[in-house]
Amino acid sequence: MAEVWFEARQVEAWLSGRPVIHQLNLTLALGQSTTVLGPNGAGKSTLVKLIERSLHPIVQADAHLKLFGSETVNLWQLRSRLGVVTTELETRFPPGIEARDVVLSGLFGSMRLGRDQTPTPNQRRHGDALLHQLGLETIAEQRFGQLSDGQRRRLMIARALVHSPEVLVLDEPSRALDLKAAHQLLQTLRQLCRNGTTVVQVTHRIDTIVPEMQRVLFLDGGTVVGDGSPAEMLTAERLSALFDTDLTVVEANGYRQVLPAFRPASG
């Protein structure tokens, strides 16, 4: 049986003085790439904050939140098993840092390489291998501020992979990307899934769900309202209910796109 890496039972979490996660019951296992889908304000980014431990749930007698089987987590040890990519993290990097150093900074959990942060030759080779894997080797010496949105997003993924984690969590990875950059990102996600990384994608966009995803969760109102395979969940009926609008689903090459449902003119 696959190891459970995330387990939430009756979890409640608050942000800015209001509850945003309600009675969350969710189990995620290694080897099962999953998309968490929901409208804006559904609690998706809050779930990511709970996973990365930048937000803690309300303490309740009947509730618990475990990562890799433990309620108490050493953040340094967690980095060796879990990588997280958010657009918020992306905005914190200084524009003058080299792309290669962005990747290597992940070894130390920092935004730049300090004087006492010197990667070993093996770590530098691993960083270069990640740049090559994600098609970024040609921009290794470019400044972060000179890169396109798509390059930055893939660079954040390379940084998150520097510890070779078992799980990679991405919060709205296609946000602000043009078509070419989005398609390059999707190819990266497909490659990671095929290579054995457990990918968790948190998004509101159905068209970015790659064919390798094995499970789709619906999140709304801060709780799970649907759970199943892509074939079960990504139907016009279920997506229309989740997004509270009439939709039709078009499928091609393993991807799905949603369009407004056709309603013939009356009269």
Side-chain angles (χ1 to χ4, degrees):
M1 207 154 165
E3 177 185 355
V4 171
W5 70 268
F6 179 86
E7 182 181 5
R9 288 290 174 266
Q10 296 295 109
V11 165
E12 180 177 336
W14 289 52
L15 272 177
S16 303
R18 64 182 182 88
V20 286
I21 294 290
H22 309 271
Q23 296 181 332
L24 179 67
N25 292 286
L26 176 60
T27 298
L28 298 172
L30 292 178
Q32 186 178 58
S33 289
T34 301
T35 292
V36 180
L37 185 69
N40 291 337
K44 302 187 302 297
S45 292
T46 305
L47 174 61
V48 175
K49 292 180 185 295
L50 287 171
I51 291 173
E52 68 177 354
R53 280 298 202 264
S54 62
L55 177 69
H56 295 274
I58 300 296
V59 177
Q60 300 180 101
D62 59 344
H64 71 251
L65 178 64
K66 295 182 180 180
L67 285 173
F68 297 99
S70 176
E71 291 187 69
T72 57
V73 176
N74 180 299
L75 290 179
W76 283 103
Q77 293 177 348
L78 184 61
R79 284 194 186 101
S80 68
R81 306 194 72 179
L82 173 68
V84 179
V85 176
T86 67
T87 50
E88 179 185 3
L89 175 65
E90 187 178 319
T91 63
R92 293 167 58 191
F93 280 88
I97 185 174
E98 286 189 1
R100 177 182 283 112
D101 288 348
V102 170
V103 175
L104 296 174
S105 71
L107 294 166
F108 309 98
S110 61
M111 298 296 108
R112 63 172 75 238
L113 292 180
R115 293 180 180 178
D116 58 342
Q117 296 172 335
T118 304
T120 67
N122 281 341
Q123 288 172 332
R124 288 189 176 277
R125 282 191 288 270
H126 180 53
D128 285 344
L130 287 171
L131 288 169
H132 177 75
Q133 178 184 338
L134 273 71
L136 299 170
E137 64 271 21
T138 60
I139 57 99
E141 297 179 1
Q142 289 188 31
R143 305 295 178 180
F144 189 71
Q146 299 173 331
L147 305 180
S148 69
D149 289 335
Q151 290 170 331
R152 292 185 186 188
R153 201 65 44 81
R154 283 184 287 148
L155 196 63
M156 290 295 101
I157 292 176
R159 181 182 185 272
L161 294 173
V162 76
H163 286 290
S164 301
E166 297 158 271
V167 180
L168 179 66
V169 178
L170 304 110
D171 185 13
E172 298 287 4
S174 60
R175 180 183 295 164
L177 299 186
D178 63 23
L179 273 177
K180 180 178 179 180
H183 289 173
Q184 289 173 331
L185 175 67
L186 296 182
Q187 290 304 313
T188 296
L189 298 186
R190 298 192 71 176
Q191 180 184 357
L192 290 170
C193 291
R194 291 168 178 169
N195 290 346
T197 301
T198 302
V199 176
V200 176
Q201 178 189 15
V202 178
T203 186
H204 67 277
R205 292 186 52 180
I206 291 89
D207 61 323
T208 64
I209 300 176
V210 298
E212 286 73 14
M213 286 289 160
Q214 299 158 285
R215 183 182 180 190
V216 174
L217 299 169
F218 285 180
L219 194 69
D220 196 19
T223 193
V224 175
V225 296
D227 183 0
S229 69
E232 293 170 325
M233 304 305 297
L234 302 179
T235 65
E237 181 181 6
R238 289 189 169 183
L239 291 171
S240 296
L242 177 65
F243 290 97
D244 192 26
T245 187
D246 290 336
L247 300 169
T248 187
V249 178
V250 178
E251 185 173 355
N253 302 322
Y255 290 92
R256 294 170 177 85
Q257 177 64 276
V258 291
L259 303 170
F262 173 72
R263 292 184 176 276
S266 58

